[in-house]
Amino acid sequence: MIAAFFERLNEVHGLNFSIFYDAFDRSRFLTGLWTTTYICVVSILASLAIGLLGVWVAGSNSRPGRLVVRGYVQFFRNTPPLVQLSFFYFAVGGLLPTVSDGFGGQSPLVSGTGWAIIAFSLFAGAFNVEIFRAGIEAVPETMVEAAESLGYTRFQLWRQIVLPLAFRICLPALNNNLVNLVKTTTLAYAIGVPELLYAASQIWSEVFNVREMMNVLLVVYVLFVAVLVWVMHRWERAMRIPGYMP
């Protein structure tokens, strides 16, 4: 019934939403939707892990480790994400060996989707390091000193005192960075990753429904961001401590 409605909409009004009545276009669009979702979820989780690891090393007694983290943050914060993605895909990827695809051909060791995840995770992770650092520095020093006086190790101090409080402080900034990461995933189009924008461009190149597909893309990304913001706000409310957080 839905397919018939959109076919009729195309015939009568010239609004060609082919993904709703054409099985081939729908399949391509759903593949792009799945690819974008996969990149977003993996990149978000990886960037959080990178941020936590980076801020841990940045607060350690290892001077080389602190310098490495500082250089990493400065590099990824001060260069465009599209340049970073191109660097990884063309420069680094070109240096890696190829592997047999089982059909007599050769495939790259890391796929375009893999490089997109790596590039976006490192890009967002650099900002997460600074976000977590700001949250940690906002934890009252008296709490840290009290824990140290009780004999807490550095790991115990971070796990039980510092990080739980720092997360509550930095969640709004972290939310903004992760939303930006979701929007940045459209850059994977530049290296041929079959994500949403790539799938939509293939469809409108053949069906000539640019206007309709751009509107569909807009709605889908609004929904992506809305879901992420809802999850982050639920997390923020769940972690709120009365009298500690505004």
Side-chain angles (χ1 to χ4, degrees), residues 175 225-237:
N175 185 18
V225 172
V227 169
L228 176 60
V229 170
W230 180 80
V231 171
M232 294 298 291
H233 283 177
R234 292 278 296 184
W235 188 15
E236 189 175 346
R237 285 199 296 269

Side-chain angles (χ1 to χ4, degrees), residues 28-206:
R28 288 191 290 181
F29 187 79
L30 291 177
T31 299
L33 181 64
W34 159 249
T35 303
T36 293
T37 304
Y38 175 72
I39 292 174
C40 287
V41 172
V42 177
S43 297
I44 286 173
L45 296 177
S47 71
L48 292 174
I50 291 170
L52 289 173
L53 178 62
V55 78
W56 170 268
V57 175
S60 68
N61 295 323
S62 171
R63 187 168 183 273
R66 295 197 303 270
L67 291 175
V68 168
V69 172
R70 187 181 306 170
Y72 156 69
V73 170
Q74 292 301 320
F75 175 81
F76 281 93
R77 286 180 64 188
N78 297 319
T79 53
L82 180 57
V83 174
Q84 297 168 16
L85 178 61
S86 300
F87 170 76
F88 280 111
Y89 184 72
F90 294 108
V92 179
L95 297 176
L96 298 180
T98 58
V99 295
S100 173
D101 59 7
F103 299 97
Q106 296 292 316
S107 299
L109 187 63
V110 180
S111 66
T113 301
W115 283 123
I117 291 173
I118 292 171
F120 298 147
S121 299
L122 291 172
F123 171 69
F127 288 89
N128 287 344
V129 170
E130 292 298 287
I131 291 171
F132 290 143
R133 182 184 62 81
I136 289 170
E137 290 180 352
V139 174
E141 189 66 26
T142 53
M143 292 186 177
V144 177
E145 292 173 353
E148 289 174 342
S149 68
L150 294 174
Y152 277 57
T153 65
R154 183 168 180 253
F155 178 74
Q156 290 174 327
L157 175 64
W158 275 52
R159 184 173 62 87
Q160 299 180 29
I161 306 296
V162 175
L163 286 183
L165 295 177
F167 259 114
R168 290 169 168 85
I169 297 169
C170 67
L171 271 177
L174 187 64
N175 185 18
N176 290 337
N177 189 42
L178 296 184
V179 166
N180 185 58
L181 172 60
V182 170
K183 294 184 291 185
T184 304
T185 59
T186 56
L187 296 178
Y189 170 88
I191 59 172
V193 175
E195 44 76 60
L196 266 177
L197 180 58
Y198 184 89
S201 68
Q202 283 190 319
I203 294 170
W204 75 51
S205 295
E206 298 174 7

